[in-house]
Amino acid sequence: MLQRKAMRLDSMSWFGTPRCVFAAMLAAIVTNTSAIQHTDQQHAKTGSRVLPGATNSTFRLTKAHMQQHVLRIRLRSRASNIRKLPQSLLQLGAAAAENPAIRGPPPESIVGTVYVGMPPQELSVIFDSGSGNVVFPSKLCNSMACISHRSYDSSVSATRLSIATPLRPRINGVETVIPAGAQSLQLSFATGTMAGVVVQDKVCLGADETICSTTGLIEATKMSDEPFSLLPFDGILGLGLPNASISRNFNFLDNLAGVQAMASNRFAVWLAIEGDDEDSEITFGEISEARFESSDLIWLQLSSTSTMGLWQTSMNDVAIGMVKMHLCKHGCQVAFDTGSGVIAGPSIFINAVLAGLNVMVDCANFDSLPTLGFVFGSTIFNIDPADYVRKTTSGCYHQFLAYDLPHSTPLVLLGAPFLRRYYTVYDSTSLQIGVAFSKHKASTKPGETSAEAATR
């Protein structure tokens, strides 16, 4: 599955330069507050730094790290009854989701639990690397979307502090000047809207407060019914980098680093597949070597041009059946997105991939479908048809989403179809993403072990 550039790749004709348009339609309309100035603090960074090509071993605690922790959180997969695939805080346009080719059984969201305030309030969240803010429905919210979920009650939390709304919040990595005098923050998510106030409180991973940090968060006081009332989780825990947050003190990962809460400033994601008979897992502070097949990780450096705070890197091309498509003649940018259930990108890019794959809805050619590879430098990360096609009794549905939004950064999102096949590590100290073939109890091909799949 994971191929290094040892073999010659034949080329496939390319029809058009990809116009990768990122669909983060976050627009902040803030109506408030007294003038304040935020000074970004330089956070201490701890933990091991792993350079490209280096083998990562289990982190060993030293005396300096005795109060730092690692934590594994079992994630549960909850099927939603929503008819459209919600993407990374619903940042993808609603119109694109109308494509009948991606319809099929309901999507699944990978959900975990966090504990907020004191005494701790238990809330379910989606761990989303494609966003940078922490959002919970407020107890004061009367919207149906809030009533249908557990809410955060800041009035009973002894650790809650009132803070002023940032006057220059970052939206898609760009500081936005807001008018003075208003009292709420409104966010638009393409398919819905949310209004709320900002507060500061303690957010913990683990019921025993294993890893905690005081962080700024958005307490939603109004949420549109669609799509929020249909989502199978209470809130969102953004795991993006600081530029993905409205202000640096709202970035949960950065705040954890500031108090040296973790043994290493990284988290890792392993998504279960059918046949694993166990839940998916997100690990904070360490790498779980038992979750991947290869002896080391392949490290990808984050793009220096990225200003949106995403886990974004450069991709050289896409290959179908090991044949390059030449869709990235001028370079492609991709983001690893744990909050996305599909592989998404500009229509010219996605349509070219779909034309090359030729997935038939009646499943007539499912057994002969090719692998789909993502080329990073000298390495090709392949995924199987079972990864990018959802096969059901009613038909075969590809897991791709085409979208085009104006005035956005060109970007392809690698969501669950890729992340189920590859174990990924997100290191905020070295600003790298580690990728390795995931270890599963079974392969996507009958009679093949996970180890055997990793070698082809």
Side-chain angles (χ1 to χ4, degrees):
M1 288 284 296
L2 189 157
Q3 299 287 338
R4 297 186 185 275
K5 195 176 178 183
M7 65 178 67
R8 177 179 176 274
L9 297 179
D10 297 322
S11 62
M12 178 178 289
S13 60
W14 172 70
F15 46 97
T17 303
R19 196 168 154 250
C20 306
V21 180
F22 179 54
M25 291 185 65
L26 281 175
I29 305 164
V30 180
T31 45
N32 155 313
T33 67
S34 54
I36 59 170
Q37 292 183 348
H38 292 277
T39 302
D40 289 344
Q41 299 180 350
Q42 183 66 36
H43 291 302
K45 294 183 177 179
T46 62
S48 59
R49 178 181 175 123
V50 183
L51 299 177
T55 300
N56 193 319
S57 58
T58 302
F59 188 90
R60 291 179 174 81
L61 294 178
T62 65
K63 290 183 179 180
H65 295 129
M66 290 303 289
Q67 299 303 314
Q68 299 167 341
H69 301 282
V70 298
L71 177 68
R72 294 178 183 173
I73 297 178
R74 294 290 184 180
L75 304 177
R76 54 194 180 277
S77 180
R78 290 183 174 178
S80 165
N81 61 356
I82 191 170
R83 292 292 299 176
K84 300 174 184 177
L85 290 172
Q87 302 308 317
S88 189
L89 284 188
L90 311 167
Q91 292 170 347
L92 301 184
E98 294 297 332
N99 180 0
I102 64 171
R103 292 214 179 154
E108 294 179 343
S109 297
I110 304 302
V111 179
T113 302
V114 297
Y115 301 84
V116 188
M118 180 57 66
Q121 301 175 46
E122 181 178 328
L123 296 166
S124 63
V125 295
I126 181 171
F127 290 97
D128 185 18
S129 65
S131 62
N133 295 305
V134 180
V135 183
F136 300 119
S138 171
K139 190 73 172 179
L140 301 177
C141 178
N142 294 319
S143 303
M144 181 58 66
C146 295
I147 296 173
S148 62
H149 293 90
R150 287 178 296 184
S151 57
Y152 162 64
D153 189 353
S154 60
S155 67
V156 300
S157 175
T159 50
R160 180 258 196 192
L161 294 174
S162 297
I163 56 176
T165 304
L167 292 181
R168 299 179 66 88
R170 282 187 172 272
I171 305 300
N172 297 343
V174 178
E175 284 191 349
T176 304
V177 179
I178 63 171
Q183 304 202 359
S184 64
L185 174 70
Q186 181 171 316
L187 300 177
S188 297
F189 296 110
T191 57
T193 59
M194 173 193 300
V197 296
V198 295
V199 298
Q200 181 176 286
D201 209 339
K202 182 171 70 171
V203 178
C204 293
L205 305 172
D208 56 353
E209 300 187 4
T210 306
I211 296 177
C212 299
S213 175
T214 298
T215 191
L217 58 90
I218 300 171
E219 185 180 358
T221 54
K222 185 177 181 180
M223 303 172 75
S224 60
D225 288 345
E226 187 178 349
F228 296 109
S229 63
L230 300 173
L231 298 179
F233 45 84
D234 303 320
I236 302 121
L237 188 75
L239 294 177
L241 296 164
N243 278 355
S245 306
I246 58 175
S247 184
R248 187 154 192 162
N249 60 316
F250 284 74
N251 189 266
F252 182 63
L253 286 180
D254 207 47
N255 291 330
L256 289 178
V259 296
Q260 301 183 20
M262 297 187 293
S264 181
N265 294 325
R266 55 165 66 122
F267 66 95
V269 175
W270 178 84
L271 297 187
I273 64 173
E274 186 176 355
D276 280 326
D277 298 325
E278 60 178 315
D279 294 325
S280 300
E281 178 182 276
I282 183 168
T283 308
F284 290 88
E286 72 169 1
I287 293 173
S288 180
E289 294 184 349
R291 291 300 191 186
F292 54 94
E293 292 286 358
S294 55
S295 59
D296 60 359
L297 291 154
I298 294 174
W299 291 94
L300 307 175
Q301 192 68 41
L302 295 189
S303 300
S304 59
T305 56
S306 174
T307 61
M308 294 184 292
L310 302 175
W311 293 95
Q312 177 180 334
T313 189
S314 298
M315 181 173 70
N316 300 94
D317 207 347
V318 174
I320 292 180
M322 299 306 294
V323 178
K324 280 187 176 181
M325 297 187 69
H326 297 288
L327 290 178
C328 299
K329 285 187 176 180
H330 302 287
C332 286
Q333 290 293 300
V334 297
F336 291 71
D337 188 358
T338 62
S340 178
V342 296
I343 293 173
S347 59
I348 194 168
F349 180 93
I350 295 297
N351 290 339
V353 171
L354 288 175
L357 294 174
N358 189 30
V359 179
M360 300 179 69
V361 178
D362 63 3
C363 302
N365 67 340
F366 179 80
D367 291 336
S368 61
L369 287 173
T371 58
L372 174 63
F374 299 88
V375 185
F376 294 90
S378 60
T379 303
I380 303 176
F381 296 103
N382 286 312
I383 61 175
D384 282 331
D387 299 314
Y388 64 78
V389 175
R390 188 185 291 264
K391 187 178 181 181
T392 72
T393 55
S394 61
C396 286
Y397 304 91
H398 69 73
Q399 301 298 292
F400 298 92
L401 181 63
Y403 64 89
D404 290 292
L405 292 174
H407 313 301
S408 301
T409 301
L411 199 66
V412 174
L413 302 180
L414 294 182
F418 183 90
L419 299 177
R420 281 192 294 264
R421 182 52 51 196
Y422 290 95
Y423 182 80
T424 49
V425 181
Y426 305 78
D427 193 309
S428 60
T429 297
S430 61
L431 297 179
Q432 295 178 105
I433 303 167
V435 185
F437 195 83
S438 285
K439 181 179 292 185
H440 295 288
K441 289 184 179 178
S443 172
T444 55
K445 289 191 174 184
E448 182 181 58
T449 67
S450 179
E452 290 169 342
T455 62
R456 60 178 167 86

